[in-house]
Amino acid sequence: MKTTISQVSKHLNEEITIGAWLANKRSSGKIAFLQLRDGTGFMQGIVVKADIGEDKFQEAKALTQESSMYVTGTIVEDTRSPLGYEMQVTDFEIIHEAVDYPITPKEHGTEFLMDHRHLWLRSKRQHGVMKIRNEIIRATYEFFNENGYVKIDPPILTGSSAEGTTELFHTKYFEEDAYLSQSGQLYMEAAAMAFGKVFSFGPTFRAEKSKTRRHLIEFWMIEPEMAFMDHEDSLEVQEQYVSHVVQSVLKNCKIELEALGRDTGQLEKIQAPFPRISYDEAIQLVKEKGFDDIEWGDDFGAPHETAIAESYDKPVFITNYPAEIKAFYMKPDPARPEVVLCADLIAPEGYGEIIGGSQRIDDLELMKQRYEDHGLTGDAYNWYLQLREYGSVPHSGFGLGLERTVAWIAGVEHVRETIPFPRLLNRLYP
Amino acid sequence: MKTTISQVSKHLNEEITIGAWLANKRSSGKIAFLQLRDGTGFMQGIVVKADIGEDKFQEAKALTQESSMYVTGTIVEDTRSPLGYEMQVTDFEIIHEAVDYPITPKEHGTEFLMDHRHLWLRSKRQHGVMKIRNEIIRATYEFFNENGYVKIDPPILTGSSAEGTTELFHTKYFEEDAYLSQSGQLYMEAAAMAFGKVFSFGPTFRAEKSKTRRHLIEFWMIEPEMAFMDHEDSLEVQEQYVSHVVQSVLKNCKIELEALGRDTGQLEKIQAPFPRISYDEAIQLVKEKGFDDIEWGDDFGAPHETAIAESYDKPVFITNYPAEIKAFYMKPDPARPEVVLCADLIAPEGYGEIIGGSQRIDDLELMKQRYEDHGLTGDAYNWYLQLREYGSVPHSGFGLGLERTVAWIAGVEHVRETIPFPRLLNRLYP
Ligand SMILES: [Mg+2]
Ligand SMILES: [Mg+2]
């Protein structure tokens, strides 16, 4: 019976066949241990000379790394392996012999591995990270579908961009100028007025000359937007969503978390509600921690965020930032208009900001004022003003950066390992 | 209790409050009928002067289209409406009064509606189409997750493109040249070698000066790729996937299909297996149907596809096209190398091709030959060759165009209504 490594628990003591690659091997005079991978998982195959015969045993000993084959054998328990099973190989048929596979079990430099990303993905570590990414995506759809959100795909190509124009990728759109989206949020606001609760999941682009472990040029965002919800309602959605994602990974990615050596005790604590501190309190906190490079009115840098996160074992919301350092569409706090009804969610363990969100301005006159203040002239954003003109309602939303969230949950230091084919400064290949 | 229209069946004979917009209204001297929408659905609210009082009744009669409000009332059965319920309004509070909403119940021209897409999405018809799109996306994730596929996001920005260079959007990527992806397939092949079965769902771009009802500049594709699967295995995945999607929409979008006037009898027939005819037979068939503008070796145009589809009440696979008119990576039929192991899936009712797929070349020497034939020189696609160098395996995959699939299932003539914010020739706004 043809099956996969992910299914072997259903075939205990049965003979099965899998299509697989040789990840690694070791052998003695009488036994060869094949580390097999088939994409769904990793499993050890035991080849015993006395059982399989001399010729086949020599063939097994000569197998090269990443050669592909069909392997047949009986599934038995193996309590020492994370999988819990191994295969007693009775036969194998080589499909294709790989010669001099570039990524050997020895150490390789980062640039070499990145140049071979199409092959590096086959390693146990990269496999684990991508399976966790996959589970986060799956749990995201599950959460928003089950809570009545409609998936809306905002456009990637736009005629202009309201949020800064220096970090945009430009292209000619026939006779017009177009830019790659940095956020679908404004479109998601239009969609929330039509569908109530919506979420997006798609790529966004920032032509930023940053070379930090938290920055990608092309990254994926999840952007929910909810009509008839205020800022506090939105915080509750955020903490429930993030908790759901973390708990789903814990439940469904045990083998991968173990392969990555992730401290799952840290993840088990991630349950709603999350702590909230105001921007004012956060400024106070970093000053108390000895930072003298920040004053009220400044944005936090990565070291400040890490210092704040150290005080908590869950993600922490920093709320009510000064309006000056936040986006033009955020709603001022009625009690204190110099701050806005917003929050950034800072992940634990130094992984930094994973969510930015706010209640949006719903008053037409105030939004017109903001347009003027930010030089948003011309007709390009007339449509966005009209959302405040025709049946404006209180509404809130947020954006979660997928790759930073993967980095945190998988316990991976650099975001370049959290997306299949990373785009970085000087990195457009493969 | 605050809830939504989608939840009213749980609140029969209870008093609830919803946040809503006025989609339409009519009134007599004693009763006003409010057509309410809240994004989750449409519901009639009945305002009776004798119950609510003279002042409030006059306020209800004066409500303008798309004004927003909180409406309170008791849910009662209404067997005449698709929802099955209506609200006996006991109170309402206006949030924001809309003046001169541009899209009135009268007819509007297409360009006017497209200019107001951000508002047009609120209409019952556009709402229905987007909810069906959402259900197709949900069912897509469900199908591939339940069948062990890993979601892989291929890059949008690439250093070069193997499939034609004339219809590419170009951008400067710092000092380099980059192009927007027309397909993630080559990357999905690399991913299949690492994860076995993978699928993508993301935007793709074609700078094509086509202005037909089947073309968008920016459109979303689902691209599964499977290691250890041959062409016939892939056809089985395709027919099961498409059947699952159609049956999910039938089950979960009853109200929307009815609002769109969709003939659901046509959709009920969509169950695997689907018929298969060879390219040779399809050429024969269109000739028999009177077309004299096509010969063996030509690709089918939309009229030919429609004529072929007319012979079937399910989607039909056209298999084994001439290698000459198909992509360079498709595997030749060993028994007849002038045709390739591929299929296009043609939707019924004239909606055209929704899937293209094939088995891929797995032989390194043949792929090198194809590179030479197609002038794929330089290092840009070395990585793709390496997939045939290191543990090559039989593998197959396909790409489904989301918007054409939405058009077919929703019964919408033009793909411009199947994506939230369409990008067309001369259409980059809103
Ligand atoms: Mg921040
Ligand atoms: Mg075709």
PDB file of all heavy atoms in Angstrom, chain A residues 21 118 133-134 151 153 156-157 170-171 218 386 391-392 423, chain B residues 21 68 118 133-134 151 153 156-157 170-171 218 386 391-392 423:
ATOM      1  N   TRP A  21      13.015  10.653  -0.149  1.00  0.00           N
ATOM      2  CA  TRP A  21      14.394  11.030  -0.435  1.00  0.00           C
ATOM      3  C   TRP A  21      15.260  10.598   0.754  1.00  0.00           C
ATOM      4  O   TRP A  21      14.775  10.536   1.895  1.00  0.00           O
ATOM      5  CB  TRP A  21      14.512  12.537  -0.603  1.00  0.00           C
ATOM      6  CG  TRP A  21      13.838  13.100  -1.819  1.00  0.00           C
ATOM      7  CD1 TRP A  21      14.406  13.333  -3.035  1.00  0.00           C
ATOM      8  CD2 TRP A  21      12.470  13.536  -1.933  1.00  0.00           C
ATOM      9  NE1 TRP A  21      13.482  13.877  -3.898  1.00  0.00           N
ATOM     10  CE2 TRP A  21      12.290  14.022  -3.250  1.00  0.00           C
ATOM     11  CE3 TRP A  21      11.367  13.553  -1.058  1.00  0.00           C
ATOM     12  CZ2 TRP A  21      11.083  14.521  -3.712  1.00  0.00           C
ATOM     13  CZ3 TRP A  21      10.152  14.055  -1.515  1.00  0.00           C
ATOM     14  CH2 TRP A  21      10.021  14.525  -2.834  1.00  0.00           C
ATOM     15  N   HIS A 118      16.002  26.787  -2.503  1.00  0.00           N
ATOM     16  CA  HIS A 118      15.131  25.776  -3.123  1.00  0.00           C
ATOM     17  C   HIS A 118      15.475  24.375  -2.635  1.00  0.00           C
ATOM     18  O   HIS A 118      14.629  23.485  -2.669  1.00  0.00           O
ATOM     19  CB  HIS A 118      15.256  25.860  -4.652  1.00  0.00           C
ATOM     20  CG  HIS A 118      16.661  25.802  -5.149  1.00  0.00           C
ATOM     21  ND1 HIS A 118      17.593  26.785  -4.876  1.00  0.00           N
ATOM     22  CD2 HIS A 118      17.322  24.873  -5.893  1.00  0.00           C
ATOM     23  CE1 HIS A 118      18.752  26.463  -5.427  1.00  0.00           C
ATOM     24  NE2 HIS A 118      18.623  25.316  -6.043  1.00  0.00           N
ATOM     25  N   ARG A 133       4.536  27.646   9.886  1.00  0.00           N
ATOM     26  CA  ARG A 133       3.913  28.725   9.103  1.00  0.00           C
ATOM     27  C   ARG A 133       2.571  28.256   8.525  1.00  0.00           C
ATOM     28  O   ARG A 133       1.559  28.966   8.600  1.00  0.00           O
ATOM     29  CB  ARG A 133       4.866  29.144   7.973  1.00  0.00           C
ATOM     30  CG  ARG A 133       4.304  30.237   7.052  1.00  0.00           C
ATOM     31  CD  ARG A 133       5.251  30.514   5.875  1.00  0.00           C
ATOM     32  NE  ARG A 133       4.625  31.359   4.886  1.00  0.00           N
ATOM     33  CZ  ARG A 133       4.893  32.661   4.716  1.00  0.00           C
ATOM     34  NH1 ARG A 133       5.788  33.261   5.466  1.00  0.00           N
ATOM     35  NH2 ARG A 133       4.250  33.362   3.801  1.00  0.00           N
ATOM     36  N   ASN A 134       2.571  27.064   7.941  1.00  0.00           N
ATOM     37  CA  ASN A 134       1.354  26.496   7.371  1.00  0.00           C
ATOM     38  C   ASN A 134       0.250  26.362   8.422  1.00  0.00           C
ATOM     39  O   ASN A 134      -0.920  26.688   8.164  1.00  0.00           O
ATOM     40  CB  ASN A 134       1.683  25.120   6.778  1.00  0.00           C
ATOM     41  CG  ASN A 134       0.463  24.377   6.287  1.00  0.00           C
ATOM     42  OD1 ASN A 134      -0.202  24.820   5.363  1.00  0.00           O
ATOM     43  ND2 ASN A 134       0.157  23.253   6.917  1.00  0.00           N
ATOM     44  N   LYS A 151     -13.354  36.720   3.843  1.00  0.00           N
ATOM     45  CA  LYS A 151     -12.027  36.959   3.275  1.00  0.00           C
ATOM     46  C   LYS A 151     -12.152  37.915   2.099  1.00  0.00           C
ATOM     47  O   LYS A 151     -12.893  37.639   1.144  1.00  0.00           O
ATOM     48  CB  LYS A 151     -11.407  35.642   2.795  1.00  0.00           C
ATOM     49  CG  LYS A 151     -10.127  35.822   1.955  1.00  0.00           C
ATOM     50  CD  LYS A 151      -8.879  35.618   2.767  1.00  0.00           C
ATOM     51  CE  LYS A 151      -7.597  36.175   2.193  1.00  0.00           C
ATOM     52  NZ  LYS A 151      -7.125  35.656   0.928  1.00  0.00           N
ATOM     53  N   ASP A 153      -9.774  40.148  -0.660  1.00  0.00           N
ATOM     54  CA  ASP A 153      -8.428  40.354  -1.196  1.00  0.00           C
ATOM     55  C   ASP A 153      -8.308  41.782  -1.721  1.00  0.00           C
ATOM     56  O   ASP A 153      -8.811  42.087  -2.795  1.00  0.00           O
ATOM     57  CB  ASP A 153      -8.153  39.344  -2.315  1.00  0.00           C
ATOM     58  CG  ASP A 153      -8.240  37.902  -1.816  1.00  0.00           C
ATOM     59  OD1 ASP A 153      -7.573  37.598  -0.817  1.00  0.00           O
ATOM     60  OD2 ASP A 153      -8.988  37.102  -2.402  1.00  0.00           O
ATOM     61  N   ILE A 156      -3.233  44.646  -5.021  1.00  0.00           N
ATOM     62  CA  ILE A 156      -1.787  44.829  -4.827  1.00  0.00           C
ATOM     63  C   ILE A 156      -1.328  46.078  -5.579  1.00  0.00           C
ATOM     64  O   ILE A 156      -0.550  46.877  -5.052  1.00  0.00           O
ATOM     65  CB  ILE A 156      -1.012  43.595  -5.339  1.00  0.00           C
ATOM     66  CG1 ILE A 156      -1.552  42.305  -4.740  1.00  0.00           C
ATOM     67  CG2 ILE A 156       0.484  43.759  -5.069  1.00  0.00           C
ATOM     68  CD1 ILE A 156      -1.466  42.181  -3.247  1.00  0.00           C
ATOM     69  N   LEU A 157      -1.808  46.244  -6.800  1.00  0.00           N
ATOM     70  CA  LEU A 157      -1.445  47.416  -7.592  1.00  0.00           C
ATOM     71  C   LEU A 157      -2.408  48.551  -7.285  1.00  0.00           C
ATOM     72  O   LEU A 157      -3.624  48.392  -7.415  1.00  0.00           O
ATOM     73  CB  LEU A 157      -1.503  47.079  -9.084  1.00  0.00           C
ATOM     74  CG  LEU A 157      -0.420  46.103  -9.581  1.00  0.00           C
ATOM     75  CD1 LEU A 157      -0.742  45.613 -10.990  1.00  0.00           C
ATOM     76  CD2 LEU A 157       0.955  46.762  -9.544  1.00  0.00           C
ATOM     77  N   HIS A 170       7.589  50.969  -7.611  1.00  0.00           N
ATOM     78  CA  HIS A 170       6.850  51.608  -8.691  1.00  0.00           C
ATOM     79  C   HIS A 170       6.843  50.724  -9.929  1.00  0.00           C
ATOM     80  O   HIS A 170       7.820  50.037 -10.223  1.00  0.00           O
ATOM     81  CB  HIS A 170       7.503  52.956  -9.031  1.00  0.00           C
ATOM     82  CG  HIS A 170       7.025  53.538 -10.326  1.00  0.00           C
ATOM     83  ND1 HIS A 170       7.700  53.341 -11.517  1.00  0.00           N
ATOM     84  CD2 HIS A 170       5.943  54.300 -10.604  1.00  0.00           C
ATOM     85  CE1 HIS A 170       7.037  53.970 -12.482  1.00  0.00           C
ATOM     86  NE2 HIS A 170       5.967  54.554 -11.963  1.00  0.00           N
ATOM     87  N   THR A 171       5.747  50.722 -10.674  1.00  0.00           N
ATOM     88  CA  THR A 171       5.722  50.081 -11.984  1.00  0.00           C
ATOM     89  C   THR A 171       4.860  50.906 -12.924  1.00  0.00           C
ATOM     90  O   THR A 171       4.007  51.681 -12.479  1.00  0.00           O
ATOM     91  CB  THR A 171       5.202  48.622 -11.889  1.00  0.00           C
ATOM     92  OG1 THR A 171       5.396  47.978 -13.151  1.00  0.00           O
ATOM     93  CG2 THR A 171       3.729  48.565 -11.528  1.00  0.00           C
ATOM     94  N   GLU A 218       9.429  41.708   1.004  1.00  0.00           N
ATOM     95  CA  GLU A 218       8.119  41.161   0.629  1.00  0.00           C
ATOM     96  C   GLU A 218       7.649  40.297   1.787  1.00  0.00           C
ATOM     97  O   GLU A 218       8.351  39.359   2.169  1.00  0.00           O
ATOM     98  CB  GLU A 218       8.286  40.334  -0.655  1.00  0.00           C
ATOM     99  CG  GLU A 218       7.038  39.648  -1.143  1.00  0.00           C
ATOM    100  CD  GLU A 218       7.273  38.868  -2.449  1.00  0.00           C
ATOM    101  OE1 GLU A 218       7.992  39.364  -3.337  1.00  0.00           O
ATOM    102  OE2 GLU A 218       6.743  37.759  -2.550  1.00  0.00           O
ATOM    103  N   GLN A 386     -15.359  58.964   1.130  1.00  0.00           N
ATOM    104  CA  GLN A 386     -16.788  58.642   0.971  1.00  0.00           C
ATOM    105  C   GLN A 386     -17.269  57.607   1.987  1.00  0.00           C
ATOM    106  O   GLN A 386     -18.462  57.535   2.287  1.00  0.00           O
ATOM    107  CB  GLN A 386     -17.058  58.157  -0.452  1.00  0.00           C
ATOM    108  CG  GLN A 386     -16.957  59.289  -1.467  1.00  0.00           C
ATOM    109  CD  GLN A 386     -17.329  58.857  -2.876  1.00  0.00           C
ATOM    110  OE1 GLN A 386     -17.673  57.707  -3.120  1.00  0.00           O
ATOM    111  NE2 GLN A 386     -17.248  59.805  -3.806  1.00  0.00           N
ATOM    112  N   GLY A 391     -23.062  56.749   5.540  1.00  0.00           N
ATOM    113  CA  GLY A 391     -23.308  55.746   6.568  1.00  0.00           C
ATOM    114  C   GLY A 391     -22.068  55.362   7.341  1.00  0.00           C
ATOM    115  O   GLY A 391     -21.779  54.180   7.527  1.00  0.00           O
ATOM    116  N   SER A 392     -21.324  56.372   7.813  1.00  0.00           N
ATOM    117  CA  SER A 392     -20.137  56.103   8.629  1.00  0.00           C
ATOM    118  C   SER A 392     -20.527  55.387   9.920  1.00  0.00           C
ATOM    119  O   SER A 392     -21.588  55.666  10.489  1.00  0.00           O
ATOM    120  CB  SER A 392     -19.447  57.436   8.953  1.00  0.00           C
ATOM    121  OG  SER A 392     -18.166  57.221   9.487  1.00  0.00           O
ATOM    122  N   ARG A 423      12.756  37.705   0.233  1.00  0.00           N
ATOM    123  CA  ARG A 423      13.224  38.837  -0.539  1.00  0.00           C
ATOM    124  C   ARG A 423      13.827  39.834   0.438  1.00  0.00           C
ATOM    125  O   ARG A 423      13.125  40.341   1.325  1.00  0.00           O
ATOM    126  CB  ARG A 423      12.057  39.464  -1.308  1.00  0.00           C
ATOM    127  CG  ARG A 423      11.461  38.543  -2.381  1.00  0.00           C
ATOM    128  CD  ARG A 423      12.500  38.155  -3.376  1.00  0.00           C
ATOM    129  NE  ARG A 423      12.046  37.282  -4.455  1.00  0.00           N
ATOM    130  CZ  ARG A 423      12.596  36.091  -4.697  1.00  0.00           C
ATOM    131  NH1 ARG A 423      13.554  35.608  -3.907  1.00  0.00           N
ATOM    132  NH2 ARG A 423      12.208  35.375  -5.729  1.00  0.00           N
TER     133      ARG A 423
ATOM    134  N   TRP B  21     -27.159  49.239   7.994  1.00  0.00           N
ATOM    135  CA  TRP B  21     -27.374  50.341   7.056  1.00  0.00           C
ATOM    136  C   TRP B  21     -28.736  50.144   6.379  1.00  0.00           C
ATOM    137  O   TRP B  21     -29.208  49.023   6.233  1.00  0.00           O
ATOM    138  CB  TRP B  21     -26.297  50.328   5.982  1.00  0.00           C
ATOM    139  CG  TRP B  21     -24.917  50.655   6.460  1.00  0.00           C
ATOM    140  CD1 TRP B  21     -24.319  51.887   6.456  1.00  0.00           C
ATOM    141  CD2 TRP B  21     -23.934  49.756   6.982  1.00  0.00           C
ATOM    142  NE1 TRP B  21     -23.042  51.802   6.945  1.00  0.00           N
ATOM    143  CE2 TRP B  21     -22.769  50.514   7.277  1.00  0.00           C
ATOM    144  CE3 TRP B  21     -23.910  48.379   7.241  1.00  0.00           C
ATOM    145  CZ2 TRP B  21     -21.606  49.945   7.804  1.00  0.00           C
ATOM    146  CZ3 TRP B  21     -22.758  47.809   7.767  1.00  0.00           C
ATOM    147  CH2 TRP B  21     -21.627  48.585   8.051  1.00  0.00           C
ATOM    148  N   SER B  68     -26.570  54.877   8.571  1.00  0.00           N
ATOM    149  CA  SER B  68     -26.213  53.803   9.493  1.00  0.00           C
ATOM    150  C   SER B  68     -26.967  53.985  10.804  1.00  0.00           C
ATOM    151  O   SER B  68     -27.278  55.112  11.203  1.00  0.00           O
ATOM    152  CB  SER B  68     -24.700  53.807   9.742  1.00  0.00           C
ATOM    153  OG  SER B  68     -24.243  55.098  10.112  1.00  0.00           O
ATOM    154  N   HIS B 118     -16.091  50.810  -4.244  1.00  0.00           N
ATOM    155  CA  HIS B 118     -16.041  50.802  -2.779  1.00  0.00           C
ATOM    156  C   HIS B 118     -17.435  50.884  -2.171  1.00  0.00           C
ATOM    157  O   HIS B 118     -17.638  50.457  -1.039  1.00  0.00           O
ATOM    158  CB  HIS B 118     -15.172  51.952  -2.274  1.00  0.00           C
ATOM    159  CG  HIS B 118     -15.569  53.286  -2.834  1.00  0.00           C
ATOM    160  ND1 HIS B 118     -15.466  53.589  -4.178  1.00  0.00           N
ATOM    161  CD2 HIS B 118     -16.089  54.382  -2.240  1.00  0.00           C
ATOM    162  CE1 HIS B 118     -15.903  54.840  -4.377  1.00  0.00           C
ATOM    163  NE2 HIS B 118     -16.297  55.331  -3.222  1.00  0.00           N
ATOM    164  N   ARG B 133     -17.302  33.995  -3.433  1.00  0.00           N
ATOM    165  CA  ARG B 133     -15.832  33.977  -3.536  1.00  0.00           C
ATOM    166  C   ARG B 133     -15.218  33.528  -2.204  1.00  0.00           C
ATOM    167  O   ARG B 133     -14.328  32.677  -2.171  1.00  0.00           O
ATOM    168  CB  ARG B 133     -15.333  35.377  -3.907  1.00  0.00           C
ATOM    169  CG  ARG B 133     -13.805  35.504  -3.979  1.00  0.00           C
ATOM    170  CD  ARG B 133     -13.384  36.973  -4.249  1.00  0.00           C
ATOM    171  NE  ARG B 133     -11.959  37.144  -4.096  1.00  0.00           N
ATOM    172  CZ  ARG B 133     -11.066  37.232  -5.092  1.00  0.00           C
ATOM    173  NH1 ARG B 133     -11.483  37.195  -6.340  1.00  0.00           N
ATOM    174  NH2 ARG B 133      -9.780  37.360  -4.854  1.00  0.00           N
ATOM    175  N   ASN B 134     -15.703  34.106  -1.120  1.00  0.00           N
ATOM    176  CA  ASN B 134     -15.210  33.756   0.217  1.00  0.00           C
ATOM    177  C   ASN B 134     -15.391  32.269   0.508  1.00  0.00           C
ATOM    178  O   ASN B 134     -14.508  31.612   1.052  1.00  0.00           O
ATOM    179  CB  ASN B 134     -15.962  34.592   1.253  1.00  0.00           C
ATOM    180  CG  ASN B 134     -15.642  34.205   2.681  1.00  0.00           C
ATOM    181  OD1 ASN B 134     -14.512  34.332   3.122  1.00  0.00           O
ATOM    182  ND2 ASN B 134     -16.645  33.700   3.405  1.00  0.00           N
ATOM    183  N   LYS B 151       0.503  24.787   2.726  1.00  0.00           N
ATOM    184  CA  LYS B 151       0.373  26.080   2.029  1.00  0.00           C
ATOM    185  C   LYS B 151       1.751  26.711   1.902  1.00  0.00           C
ATOM    186  O   LYS B 151       2.434  26.941   2.909  1.00  0.00           O
ATOM    187  CB  LYS B 151      -0.542  27.016   2.811  1.00  0.00           C
ATOM    188  CG  LYS B 151      -0.532  28.468   2.305  1.00  0.00           C
ATOM    189  CD  LYS B 151      -1.689  28.764   1.383  1.00  0.00           C
ATOM    190  CE  LYS B 151      -1.562  29.995   0.500  1.00  0.00           C
ATOM    191  NZ  LYS B 151      -1.394  31.279   1.128  1.00  0.00           N
ATOM    192  N   ASP B 153       3.774  30.003   0.080  1.00  0.00           N
ATOM    193  CA  ASP B 153       3.601  31.280  -0.604  1.00  0.00           C
ATOM    194  C   ASP B 153       4.821  31.553  -1.475  1.00  0.00           C
ATOM    195  O   ASP B 153       5.867  31.938  -0.964  1.00  0.00           O
ATOM    196  CB  ASP B 153       3.413  32.398   0.428  1.00  0.00           C
ATOM    197  CG  ASP B 153       2.179  32.172   1.285  1.00  0.00           C
ATOM    198  OD1 ASP B 153       1.103  31.961   0.710  1.00  0.00           O
ATOM    199  OD2 ASP B 153       2.285  32.182   2.523  1.00  0.00           O
ATOM    200  N   ILE B 156       6.369  37.007  -5.041  1.00  0.00           N
ATOM    201  CA  ILE B 156       5.719  37.830  -6.076  1.00  0.00           C
ATOM    202  C   ILE B 156       6.797  38.502  -6.915  1.00  0.00           C
ATOM    203  O   ILE B 156       6.702  38.562  -8.137  1.00  0.00           O
ATOM    204  CB  ILE B 156       4.809  38.893  -5.434  1.00  0.00           C
ATOM    205  CG1 ILE B 156       3.822  38.263  -4.446  1.00  0.00           C
ATOM    206  CG2 ILE B 156       4.082  39.700  -6.506  1.00  0.00           C
ATOM    207  CD1 ILE B 156       2.868  37.272  -5.012  1.00  0.00           C
ATOM    208  N   LEU B 157       7.824  39.040  -6.278  1.00  0.00           N
ATOM    209  CA  LEU B 157       8.909  39.701  -6.994  1.00  0.00           C
ATOM    210  C   LEU B 157       9.952  38.664  -7.385  1.00  0.00           C
ATOM    211  O   LEU B 157      10.470  37.939  -6.520  1.00  0.00           O
ATOM    212  CB  LEU B 157       9.547  40.778  -6.112  1.00  0.00           C
ATOM    213  CG  LEU B 157       8.660  41.994  -5.828  1.00  0.00           C
ATOM    214  CD1 LEU B 157       9.273  42.847  -4.722  1.00  0.00           C
ATOM    215  CD2 LEU B 157       8.456  42.828  -7.085  1.00  0.00           C
ATOM    216  N   HIS B 170       7.238  45.437 -14.643  1.00  0.00           N
ATOM    217  CA  HIS B 170       8.629  45.612 -14.234  1.00  0.00           C
ATOM    218  C   HIS B 170       8.725  46.616 -13.087  1.00  0.00           C
ATOM    219  O   HIS B 170       7.963  47.576 -13.027  1.00  0.00           O
ATOM    220  CB  HIS B 170       9.445  46.119 -15.430  1.00  0.00           C
ATOM    221  CG  HIS B 170      10.807  46.625 -15.047  1.00  0.00           C
ATOM    222  ND1 HIS B 170      11.052  47.966 -14.805  1.00  0.00           N
ATOM    223  CD2 HIS B 170      11.975  45.970 -14.847  1.00  0.00           C
ATOM    224  CE1 HIS B 170      12.332  48.111 -14.467  1.00  0.00           C
ATOM    225  NE2 HIS B 170      12.909  46.916 -14.483  1.00  0.00           N
ATOM    226  N   THR B 171       9.658  46.383 -12.180  1.00  0.00           N
ATOM    227  CA  THR B 171       9.963  47.393 -11.164  1.00  0.00           C
ATOM    228  C   THR B 171      11.461  47.356 -10.864  1.00  0.00           C
ATOM    229  O   THR B 171      12.122  46.354 -11.122  1.00  0.00           O
ATOM    230  CB  THR B 171       9.135  47.177  -9.872  1.00  0.00           C
ATOM    231  OG1 THR B 171       9.328  48.292  -8.992  1.00  0.00           O
ATOM    232  CG2 THR B 171       9.559  45.904  -9.135  1.00  0.00           C
ATOM    233  N   GLU B 218      -4.821  41.801 -12.617  1.00  0.00           N
ATOM    234  CA  GLU B 218      -4.386  41.236 -11.328  1.00  0.00           C
ATOM    235  C   GLU B 218      -5.436  40.212 -10.917  1.00  0.00           C
ATOM    236  O   GLU B 218      -6.608  40.551 -10.799  1.00  0.00           O
ATOM    237  CB  GLU B 218      -4.298  42.386 -10.310  1.00  0.00           C
ATOM    238  CG  GLU B 218      -3.923  41.963  -8.907  1.00  0.00           C
ATOM    239  CD  GLU B 218      -3.831  43.150  -7.940  1.00  0.00           C
ATOM    240  OE1 GLU B 218      -3.316  44.219  -8.333  1.00  0.00           O
ATOM    241  OE2 GLU B 218      -4.305  43.018  -6.795  1.00  0.00           O
ATOM    242  N   GLN B 386      18.206  22.373 -10.947  1.00  0.00           N
ATOM    243  CA  GLN B 386      18.716  21.543  -9.841  1.00  0.00           C
ATOM    244  C   GLN B 386      17.660  20.625  -9.244  1.00  0.00           C
ATOM    245  O   GLN B 386      17.979  19.600  -8.640  1.00  0.00           O
ATOM    246  CB  GLN B 386      19.325  22.435  -8.757  1.00  0.00           C
ATOM    247  CG  GLN B 386      20.635  23.075  -9.218  1.00  0.00           C
ATOM    248  CD  GLN B 386      21.310  23.869  -8.116  1.00  0.00           C
ATOM    249  OE1 GLN B 386      20.808  23.955  -6.997  1.00  0.00           O
ATOM    250  NE2 GLN B 386      22.459  24.456  -8.438  1.00  0.00           N
ATOM    251  N   GLY B 391      17.694  14.225  -6.821  1.00  0.00           N
ATOM    252  CA  GLY B 391      16.535  13.454  -6.384  1.00  0.00           C
ATOM    253  C   GLY B 391      15.269  13.807  -7.127  1.00  0.00           C
ATOM    254  O   GLY B 391      14.222  14.031  -6.518  1.00  0.00           O
ATOM    255  N   SER B 392      15.359  13.832  -8.462  1.00  0.00           N
ATOM    256  CA  SER B 392      14.182  14.116  -9.277  1.00  0.00           C
ATOM    257  C   SER B 392      13.129  13.029  -9.083  1.00  0.00           C
ATOM    258  O   SER B 392      13.470  11.859  -8.921  1.00  0.00           O
ATOM    259  CB  SER B 392      14.593  14.187 -10.756  1.00  0.00           C
ATOM    260  OG  SER B 392      13.555  14.719 -11.536  1.00  0.00           O
ATOM    261  N   ARG B 423      -8.655  45.155 -11.315  1.00  0.00           N
ATOM    262  CA  ARG B 423      -7.645  45.879 -12.083  1.00  0.00           C
ATOM    263  C   ARG B 423      -7.784  45.459 -13.533  1.00  0.00           C
ATOM    264  O   ARG B 423      -7.613  44.282 -13.869  1.00  0.00           O
ATOM    265  CB  ARG B 423      -6.241  45.540 -11.554  1.00  0.00           C
ATOM    266  CG  ARG B 423      -5.996  46.022 -10.112  1.00  0.00           C
ATOM    267  CD  ARG B 423      -6.157  47.512 -10.020  1.00  0.00           C
ATOM    268  NE  ARG B 423      -5.951  48.087  -8.703  1.00  0.00           N
ATOM    269  CZ  ARG B 423      -6.893  48.801  -8.062  1.00  0.00           C
ATOM    270  NH1 ARG B 423      -8.110  48.954  -8.575  1.00  0.00           N
ATOM    271  NH2 ARG B 423      -6.605  49.369  -6.901  1.00  0.00           N
TER     272      ARG B 423
END
